[in-house]
């Protein structure tokens, strides 16, 4: 049946346009109940259970279906949606869009009232319809709404209706479900005192006016990990003058949560502050502890020079909440039989959350998920509700799940829809696959990777040509051959964005059949590749460049150590070894040339765990050893990425996916320059080249590790490299590599950016056809935004995995004492690096319930004087390392000062370092 509505609309030009809106109403949509005689089997498949399970509801004892209104779903299921269960919820809700349930908006009726009436009509229709199924049928539909008027009207119309809370409380067999109810408003569960702590948030309309007029600034709220009373707001737009605003103190933070979009008011310059050097954790136990906050806030204030002051502001309103479900632990109330408890998130940037639960005893000592419902003005903490129990704290499976959830790493098994687009096995290369593809199986190609690597993206070859020049090839897995644009496999790969490497597992971006088999360039099997081949002279100067899709057969899959042994061995002169030596010789020339142009050689302590082969617990921990072959592979990957970047930008000037590394602002280098100055060294930072040359000169014959420390510190000064669309940006420069243009081409198995680059390059060389999204710069910019987020989260997840396994290692090893170097000095602590383990930690000099020592902090030098001992950056100290399990939520490596000896501060060294003689070991790859 067709229903139409016609009206006239005046156009901008003054004409009149006739608008006709048509509604096509069907009469063949079934109710969704299986075996319904009245529908005659019209529905395509059952959307409802054949017989609902008896929920043991005291309000509705007979079997029934639930029909929630839209607001109940939006309010209660938002946390389920963020946890990835929305699809299953949405698929189970199929309201009939049929003739009998169509509702037109009446005159004077607003859209919300029309929608409420439509749901009531559907509920009434269902109840009457279900009665027709059979004479003895007692099924009914219960309407769930939190709208008082809607509920009253439903009762008047004879529809059984309850609020969400009424219904859940009636489920006597499942009392724990009450904990999962979202608070209906910010006023629910407010503290009894009613004392106003925070100022009122301005309404959105006033915020928008203020932002437009320049009274307020809009930005992203970023809470501090080290100080719960401090945050920064990164201002959106081109406001170069005040790009970053500091907030200090609870009242100025004003209930903003990490990653919220907020409006801030800039304070007068007389109220500007400097970033605090105090490390503060929120240890309050109740609302009354608010009184102590002012005392703690005074600790933030310190006498500093005027140039240290930064633009300072306060939050005046929330533009958009970016809350998500949070993992953490319950801090059970000291009050007996209390239902109100504090939840402490695993992420220290998130405030503690007050929840009500009857399961406190069960949930204590377990990792749980909690969602925030609101944050009233008179509450020290936000209100929330319990969502899910993850498992016991400290268990490897539980902690791995926590770090994946906390860093928003998609890790569910690949769906059948995704897997359906994989090639059918057994797979082999066909004649069709060879179209537009060069056969390079005769070449002596090999791969060089970390031990245990199964997702081999890249392989190399080098051979001498008849004209005396060298042919060098980088061959990359042709992942884009298997992942076609727009299908479910492509969409899932784009969503994941990157493979995530944890200490004991790998979260693949693509299914294992591709990552470890068909795309992996393993030896002695034919594999599809995308090859970048150069003709070079012996001085590593490129004479010709060719890009081609290819088929290769790798002759060896080597580790870095195996490749190095071949290069160094005087007894090996086979084709593979000759190829490796040629590659290594050219790589050294390429690296020297890059560094001369200003490329930076920075340092970052990376660790490798040795695992017990049975328990998979870490039994040894050491920093990674880097060989010449690591650098050899890196040089050719960089060269391939640069060559491909030039090619795709040449062909797609507006649509190339590139990667840039912005130059750090001068303020980023302050800590590095001051630290070097304290050792009578000068670091110049005006250009990347001057920085690189300064670092090369910064040597000390009596302190050989100093240069490594400076490079580690320089790494901390850097900005994050990001993906971008060439048509949306003018600055292409990669600061760290000193390259005018760069992209990622060499790892498509583990990076989706490379898949897009492969598609662009394939079109550029005529090996594949284009598609609309590939040349849509706005869609490409959206892809880049997701890739940057996923890449950052993957890095954080990897660090969290290393931190957890480090804890496991020291839990079994016990207390050890090791030499360390100071990286940073704080107002009440020093941050040290232990070279032996590549481990960083903080030594605190103020402890709860202990008399505080006399501390004098000097930010200019920088230095920290404790009693009569002065600590500078890079000073050598000795620390005791142990696992502190006093706080189950945040078990951490605790470090205490052993040397130099300071009475009342240093502790005697009473443990000796012993080698671990454990069972059989195996190396686990952390990343590539």
């Amino acid at each position: 049946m067709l229903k139409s509505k016609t009206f006239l609309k005046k156009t901008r030009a003054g004409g009149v346009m006739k608008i006709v809106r048509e509604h096509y109403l069907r009469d063949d949509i079934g109710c969704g109940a299986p075996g319904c005689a009245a529908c005659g089997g019209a529905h395509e498949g059952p959307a409802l259970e054949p017989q609902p399970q008896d929920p043991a509801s005291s309000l509705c004892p007979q079997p029934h279906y639930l029909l929630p209104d839209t607001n109940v779903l939006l309010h209660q299921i938002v946390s389920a949606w963020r946890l990835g269960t929305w699809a299953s919820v949405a698929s189970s809700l199929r309201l009939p869009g049929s003739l009998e349930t169509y509702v037109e908006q009446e005159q004077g009726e607003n859209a919300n009232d029309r929608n409420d009436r439509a749901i009531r009509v559907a509920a009434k229709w269902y109840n009457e319809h279900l009665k027709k199924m059979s004479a003895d049928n007692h099924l009914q539909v219960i309407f769930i709404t939190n709208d008082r008027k809607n509920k009253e009207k439903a009762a008047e119309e004879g529809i059984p209706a309850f609020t969400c809370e009424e219904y859940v409380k009636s489920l006597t067999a499942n009392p724990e479900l009450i904990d999962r109810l979202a608070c209906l408003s910010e006023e629910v569960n407010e503290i009894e005192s009613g004392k106003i702590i925070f100022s009122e948030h301005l309404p959105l309309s006033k915020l928008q006016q203020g932002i437009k007029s320049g009274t307020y600034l809009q930005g992203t709220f970023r809470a501090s990990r080290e100080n719960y009373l401090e945050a920064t707001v990164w201002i959106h737009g081109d406001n170069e003058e005040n790009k970053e605003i500091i907030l200090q103190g609870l009242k100025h933070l004003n209930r903003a949560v990490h990653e919220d979009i907020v409006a801030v008011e800039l304070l007068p310059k007389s109220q500007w502050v400097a970033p605090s050097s105090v490390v503060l954790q929120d240890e309050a136990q109740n609302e009354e502890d608010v009184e102590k906050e002012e005392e703690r806030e005074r600790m933030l204030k310190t006498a500093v020079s005027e140039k240290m002051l930064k633009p300072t502001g306060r939050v005046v309103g929330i533009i958009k909440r970016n809350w998500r479900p949070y993992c953490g632990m319950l801090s059970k109330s000291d009050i007996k039989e209390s239902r109100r408890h504090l939840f402490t998130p695993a992420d220290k940037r998130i405030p503690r959350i007050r929840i009500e639960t009857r399961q406190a005893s069960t949930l204590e000592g377990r990792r749980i998920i909690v969602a925030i419902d609101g944050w009233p003005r008179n509450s020290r903490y936000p209100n929330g509700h319990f969502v899910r129990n993850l498992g016991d704290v400290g268990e490897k499976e539980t902690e791995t799940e926590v770090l994946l959830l906390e860093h928003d790493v998609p890790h569910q098994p690949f769906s059948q829809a995704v897997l359906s687009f994989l090639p059918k096995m057994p797979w082999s290369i066909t004649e069709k696959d060879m179209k537009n593809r060069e056969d390079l199986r005769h070449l002596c190609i090999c791969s060089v990777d970390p031990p245990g690597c199964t997702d081999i993206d890249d392989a190399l070859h080098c051979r001498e040509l008849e004209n005396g020049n060298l042919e060098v090839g980088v061959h990359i897995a042709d992942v884009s051959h298997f992942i076609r644009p727009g299908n479910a496999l492509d969409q899932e790969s784009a969503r994941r964005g990157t493979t995530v490497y944890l200490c004991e597992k790998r979260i693949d971006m693509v299914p294992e059949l591709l990552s470890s088999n068909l795309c992996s360039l393993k030896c002695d099997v034919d594999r599809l590749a995308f090859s970048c081949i150069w003709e070079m002279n012996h001085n590593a100067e490129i004479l010709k460049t060719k890009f081609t899709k290819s088929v290769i057969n790798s002759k060896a899959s080597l580790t870095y150590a195996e490749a190095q042994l071949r290069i160094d061995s005087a007894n090996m002169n086979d084709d593979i070894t000759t190829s490796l030596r040629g590659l290594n010789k050219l790589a050294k020339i390429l690296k020297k040339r890059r560094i001369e142009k200003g490329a930076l050689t920075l340092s970052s302590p990376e660790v490798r765990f040795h695992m017990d082969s049975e328990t998979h617990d870490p039994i040894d921990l050491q920093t990674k050893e880097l060989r010449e072959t690591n650098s050899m592979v890196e040089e050719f990957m960089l060269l391939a990425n640069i060559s491909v970047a030039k090619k795709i930008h040449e062909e797609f000037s507006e649509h190339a996916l590139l990667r840039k590394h912005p130059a750090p602002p001068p303020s980023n280098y302050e800590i590095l320059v001051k630290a070097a100055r304290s050792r009578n060294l000068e670091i110049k930072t005006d250009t990347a080249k001057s920085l690189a040359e300064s670092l090369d000169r910064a040597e000390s014959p009596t302190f050989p590790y100093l240069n490594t420390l400076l490079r580690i510190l320089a790494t901390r000064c850097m900005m994050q490299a990001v993906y971008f669309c060439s048509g949306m940006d003018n600055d292409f420069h990669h600061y760290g590599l000193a390259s005018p243009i760069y992209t990622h081409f060499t790892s498509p198995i583990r990076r989706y950016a490379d898949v897009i680059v492969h598609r662009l390059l394939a079109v550029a060389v005529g090996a594949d056809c284009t598609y609309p999204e590939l040349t849509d710069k706005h869609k490409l910019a959206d892809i880049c935004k997701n890739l940057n987020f996923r890449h950052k989260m993957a890095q954080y997840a990897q660090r969290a995995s290393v931190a957890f396994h480090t804890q496991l290692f020291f839990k079994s090893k016990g207390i050890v004492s090791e030499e360390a170097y100071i990286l940073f000095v704080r107002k009440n602590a020093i941050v040290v690096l232990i070279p032996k383990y590549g481990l960083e930690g903080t030594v605190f000099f103020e402890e709860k319930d202990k008399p505080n020592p006399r501390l004098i902090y000097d930010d200019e030098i920088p230095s920290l004087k404790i009693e009569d001992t002065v600590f500078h950056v890079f000073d050598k100290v000795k620390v005791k390392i142990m696992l502190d399990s006093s706080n189950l939520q945040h078990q951490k490596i605790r470090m205490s000062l052993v040397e130099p000896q300071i009475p009342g501060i240093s502790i005697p060294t009473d443990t000796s370092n012993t080698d671990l003689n454990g069972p059989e070991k195996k190396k686990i790859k952390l990343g590539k």
Side-chain angles (χ1 to χ4, degrees):
M1 179 181 173
L2 172 66
K3 292 180 76 93
S4 63
K5 185 182 285 186
T6 306
F7 59 92
L8 301 176
K9 183 181 178 183
K10 190 175 181 180
T11 66
R12 285 185 180 179
V16 176
M17 183 186 292
K18 184 179 180 181
I19 307 287
V20 179
R21 286 189 180 160
E22 296 179 340
H23 293 273
Y24 292 88
L25 301 177
R26 293 171 57 183
D27 58 3
D28 60 343
I29 299 177
C31 67
C36 176
C39 291
H43 53 272
E44 295 171 3
L48 303 172
E49 292 182 20
Q51 184 68 19
Q53 294 180 355
D54 182 6
S57 167
S58 58
L59 289 174
C60 324
Q62 69 270 35
H64 54 270
Y65 296 117
L66 294 180
L67 181 57
D69 74 5
T70 317
N71 288 325
V72 167
L73 281 174
L74 287 174
H75 197 69
Q76 186 63 43
I77 300 181
V78 65
S79 57
W81 172 66
R82 285 174 177 155
L83 286 170
T85 58
W86 172 257
S88 62
V89 173
S91 65
S92 67
L93 300 170
R94 298 187 185 175
L95 291 180
S98 66
L99 213 55
E100 296 95 330
T101 57
Y102 177 71
V103 171
E104 281 202 34
Q105 190 168 342
E106 295 175 350
Q107 195 168 0
E109 184 180 46
N110 62 38
N112 190 56
D113 289 343
R114 181 260 167 207
N115 292 340
D116 287 345
R117 185 162 57 85
I119 296 173
R120 293 198 304 274
V121 167
K124 192 170 185 178
W125 179 87
Y126 255 118
N127 275 324
E128 291 171 356
H129 183 80
L130 291 174
K131 288 175 186 175
K132 298 175 186 176
M133 284 178 60
S134 63
D136 58 347
N137 178 44
H138 299 295
L139 272 174
Q140 66 175 158
V141 168
I142 304 297
F143 181 42
I144 303 295
T145 180
N146 291 327
D147 186 312
R148 182 174 54 81
K149 287 183 180 178
N150 204 7
K151 185 186 168 194
E152 287 171 358
K153 286 180 180 177
E156 288 169 11
E157 295 166 15
I159 304 166
F162 303 102
T163 66
C164 197
E165 186 174 1
E166 285 171 343
Y167 180 78
V168 171
K169 284 185 174 177
S170 77
L171 303 177
T172 51
N174 301 92
E176 75 282 355
L177 289 178
I178 299 168
D179 294 347
R180 304 194 185 196
L181 280 176
C183 296
L184 294 181
S185 74
E186 293 197 346
E187 305 307 316
V188 177
N189 295 333
E190 286 187 358
I191 55 172
E192 283 78 1
S193 71
K195 181 181 176 182
I196 299 298
I197 301 170
F198 300 101
S199 58
E200 190 173 359
H201 287 150
L202 297 179
L204 193 57
S205 58
K206 283 194 176 179
L207 295 179
Q208 289 168 339
Q209 288 171 11
I211 291 165
K212 196 173 180 180
S213 67
T215 307
Y216 307 132
L217 298 169
Q218 176 180 322
T220 303
F221 182 89
R222 303 237 172 108
S224 166
R225 290 179 190 273
E226 294 188 330
N227 187 339
Y228 76 101
L229 292 174
E230 186 169 277
T232 54
V233 173
W234 286 83
I235 302 304
H236 300 168
D238 301 322
N239 191 324
E240 292 300 327
E241 187 181 349
N242 298 314
K243 196 68 181 169
E244 184 184 13
I245 308 293
I246 290 181
L247 312 176
Q248 279 189 0
L250 272 184
K251 292 179 181 178
H252 286 169
L253 302 181
N254 197 10
R255 296 172 288 156
V257 177
H258 184 65
E259 294 294 348
D260 282 350
I261 307 299
V262 300
V264 291
E265 179 183 45
L266 205 59
L267 297 175
K269 283 195 174 184
S270 59
Q271 295 180 40
W272 286 13
V273 298
S276 171
S277 298
V278 179
V279 180
L280 283 180
Q281 303 299 330
D282 184 6
E283 296 171 347
Q285 293 299 317
N286 52 56
E287 300 291 344
E288 283 66 42
D289 289 338
V290 170
E291 305 300 327
K292 298 178 184 176
E293 302 296 352
E294 291 180 8
E295 182 185 329
R296 303 200 85 180
E297 285 176 23
R298 279 195 291 274
M299 288 179 66
L300 305 180
K301 307 290 188 289
T302 182
V304 292
S305 64
E306 194 172 322
K307 68 175 184 178
M308 295 295 292
L309 300 176
K310 304 286 184 186
T312 307
R314 67 184 187 97
V315 172
V316 293
I318 308 293
I319 293 165
K320 185 190 174 197
R321 288 291 194 189
N322 278 321
W323 295 340
R324 58 177 175 83
Y326 300 105
C327 300
M329 288 182 67
L330 196 71
S331 302
K332 193 178 173 187
S333 171
D334 295 333
I335 303 169
K336 195 177 179 184
E337 296 184 13
S338 173
R339 292 188 307 189
R340 185 177 293 164
H341 309 273
L342 282 177
F343 163 83
T344 305
D347 187 341
K348 292 183 179 179
R349 296 169 300 184
I350 307 301
R352 290 200 278 182
I353 303 163
R354 189 191 306 101
I355 66 169
E356 287 199 17
T357 178
R358 295 161 178 76
Q359 308 175 70
S361 299
T362 308
L363 298 178
E364 198 173 17
R366 297 177 78 82
R367 294 283 192 189
I368 64 173
I369 296 177
V370 161
I372 296 178
D373 298 322
W375 196 339
R377 291 176 60 198
N378 59 355
S379 174
R380 170 68 178 80
Y381 299 108
N383 295 323
H385 67 276
F386 166 74
V387 174
R388 185 152 68 96
N389 185 345
L390 294 173
D392 289 330
V393 67
E395 285 189 357
K396 266 192 278 193
E397 294 77 11
T398 302
E399 297 301 330
T400 300
E401 178 74 3
V402 167
L403 73 88
L404 291 172
L405 288 169
E406 277 298 290
H407 297 101
D408 198 11
V409 175
H411 59 286
Q412 296 78 17
F414 290 98
S415 69
Q416 282 306 312
V418 169
L419 298 175
S420 69
F421 286 95
L422 292 174
K424 302 294 180 281
M425 297 299 286
W427 174 86
S428 61
I429 297 171
T430 65
E431 209 171 300
K432 185 183 173 185
D433 295 334
M434 291 303 295
K435 190 181 176 185
N436 298 321
R437 197 176 288 275
E438 207 169 317
D439 192 339
L440 302 178
R441 284 175 283 196
H442 62 285
L443 293 177
C444 187
I445 294 169
C446 68
S447 62
V448 184
D449 290 282
C453 180
T454 60
D455 54 341
I456 303 173
D457 291 282
D458 52 85
L460 299 152
H461 89 271
C462 177
R463 64 173 180 165
E464 191 160 347
L465 299 173
E466 290 180 3
N467 62 9
N469 290 329
L470 298 170
E471 179 187 86
V472 177
V474 168
H475 310 276
I476 307 300
D478 189 5
V479 179
S480 63
H481 173 84
F482 297 96
I483 302 179
R484 303 310 295 166
N487 67 24
L489 176 56
D490 182 45
Q491 289 170 3
E492 181 62 17
S493 304
R495 185 176 78 91
R496 295 186 177 217
T498 180
T499 292
V500 181
Y501 294 93
L502 306 181
C503 292
E504 274 193 278
K505 69 190 293 188
R506 189 179 77 203
I507 313 297
D508 282 325
M509 181 185 82
V510 298
E512 191 178 16
L513 179 64
L514 297 183
S515 65
S516 297
N517 189 349
L518 302 184
C519 290
S520 185
L521 304 182
K522 298 185 286 189
C523 62
D524 301 324
V525 289
D526 293 348
R527 287 292 179 257
L528 301 179
F530 210 147
S531 300
C532 174
I533 300 171
W534 303 280
E535 184 178 332
M536 293 182 176
N537 60 25
H538 286 263
N539 197 33
E541 291 166 334
I542 298 172
L543 307 174
K544 291 180 188 174
T545 304
K546 179 174 76 172
F547 304 101
T548 179
K549 290 240 180 179
S550 60
V551 57
I552 67 168
N553 187 299
S554 172
K555 304 301 183 279
S557 297
L558 306 173
T559 65
Y560 290 118
E562 288 167 345
Q564 193 67 52
L565 281 171
R566 281 175 173 268
I567 290 169
D568 296 341
S569 172
N571 301 321
M572 299 187 78
N573 293 293
D574 57 277
D575 288 347
I576 294 171
T577 305
T578 303
S579 177
L580 288 169
R581 286 178 183 144
L583 289 166
N584 196 42
K585 183 182 175 183
L586 291 170
K588 288 178 181 177
I589 299 169
L590 289 169
K591 185 173 183 177
K592 183 172 181 289
R593 195 173 295 149
R594 268 196 320 110
I595 290 170
E596 284 170 357
K597 287 180 181 176
L600 297 174
T601 305
L602 301 178
S603 184
S604 172
E606 290 189 73
V607 298
R608 181 180 295 281
F609 291 96
H610 294 257
M611 301 291 188
D612 185 289
S613 58
E614 293 178 9
T615 65
H616 299 287
D617 286 336
I619 53 176
D620 199 4
L621 171 63
Q622 58 190 217
T623 51
K624 284 185 182 179
E625 183 184 352
L626 296 178
R627 298 175 172 85
E628 272 186 6
T629 45
N630 291 79
S631 179
M632 176 190 79
V633 173
E634 182 185 15
E635 285 307 315
F636 286 107
M637 296 306 110
L638 293 174
L639 189 62
N641 287 335
I642 291 168
S643 296
V644 170
K646 289 174 181 175
K647 179 66 177 177
I648 62 173
H649 183 249
E650 186 182 296
E651 293 289 330
F652 301 99
S653 60
E654 291 287 299
H655 313 113
L657 190 154
L658 302 175
R659 186 164 176 82
K660 69 172 182 175
H661 182 214
S667 58
N668 279 31
Y669 287 123
E670 284 179 8
I671 183 67
L672 173 66
V673 172
K674 287 178 181 178
R677 195 185 299 140
S678 70
R679 296 280 165 174
N680 297 317
L681 296 169
E682 184 185 15
I683 298 290
K684 294 183 177 178
T685 61
D686 46 328
T687 65
K689 185 172 174 61
S690 60
L691 173 62
E693 290 171 350
S694 296
L695 288 170
D696 287 342
R697 288 194 299 268
E699 299 280 357
S700 170
T702 58
F703 188 1
Y705 196 63
L706 175 64
N707 190 262
T708 302
L709 289 170
L710 283 165
R711 291 182 191 276
I712 290 171
L713 213 54
T715 306
R716 308 296 171 88
C717 302
M718 294 297 121
M719 305 290 283
Q720 184 81 34
V722 291
Y723 298 109
F724 68 101
C725 171
S726 59
M728 307 287 277
D729 208 320
N730 296 319
D731 179 17
F732 293 8
H733 190 73
H734 196 294
Y735 179 81
L737 298 174
S739 176
I741 193 167
Y742 191 67
T743 193
H744 272 161
F745 163 76
T746 54
S747 295
I749 294 177
R750 60 191 179 94
R751 291 189 306 233
Y752 188 75
D754 303 53
V755 175
I756 296 289
V757 169
H758 275 229
R759 290 173 182 170
L760 289 164
L761 184 62
V763 175
V765 300
D768 206 343
C769 53
T770 188
Y771 58 98
E773 289 79 5
L774 193 64
T775 52
D776 185 328
K777 64 183 181 181
H778 295 287
K779 287 190 176 173
L780 199 58
D782 288 339
I783 289 172
C784 290
K785 185 178 178 182
N786 178 61
L787 292 177
N788 291 330
F789 172 74
R790 293 296 180 199
H791 182 72
K792 183 172 66 173
M793 289 298 105
Q795 286 183 319
Y796 291 160
Q798 285 163 212
R799 289 174 197 165
S801 181
V802 169
F804 174 63
H805 281 78
T806 304
Q807 291 172 13
L808 290 179
F809 170 69
F810 282 104
K811 186 177 183 178
S812 62
K813 192 171 176 66
I815 302 171
V816 297
S817 294
E818 288 292 346
E819 287 184 347
Y821 293 96
I822 297 174
L823 277 183
F824 305 100
V825 292
R826 303 285 190 233
K827 203 173 177 183
N828 59 345
I830 55 173
V831 179
V832 300
L833 173 72
I834 299 165
K836 181 177 178 179
Y837 298 124
L839 181 64
E840 198 175 306
T842 305
V843 180
F844 290 96
F845 296 117
E846 289 180 333
E847 290 190 48
K848 216 172 157 186
D849 306 323
K850 283 190 179 180
N852 289 337
R854 183 164 45 90
L855 303 175
I856 301 173
Y857 173 70
D858 187 335
D859 185 63
E860 282 299 314
I861 296 179
S863 68
L864 178 65
K865 186 175 182 181
I866 307 168
E867 301 300 339
D868 296 321
T869 304
V870 181
F871 292 98
H872 298 91
V873 175
F874 304 146
D875 279 356
K876 191 183 203 178
V877 295
K878 194 170 189 179
V879 295
K880 184 177 82 170
I881 315 164
M882 61 178 288
L883 179 65
D884 182 359
S885 301
S886 59
N887 182 342
L888 272 178
Q889 162 70 341
H890 289 121
Q891 293 189 56
K892 59 187 177 185
I893 301 299
R894 185 182 178 86
M895 295 187 185
S896 304
L897 187 69
V898 176
E899 293 175 4
Q901 282 288 324
I902 304 174
I905 299 292
S906 302
I907 56 168
T909 174
D910 53 4
T911 56
S912 59
N913 292 317
T914 56
D915 290 329
L916 278 171
N917 295 310
E920 182 192 349
K921 304 172 185 177
K922 67 176 180 180
K923 289 190 176 182
I924 303 295
K925 176 187 167 207
L926 283 179
K928 180 178 172 186

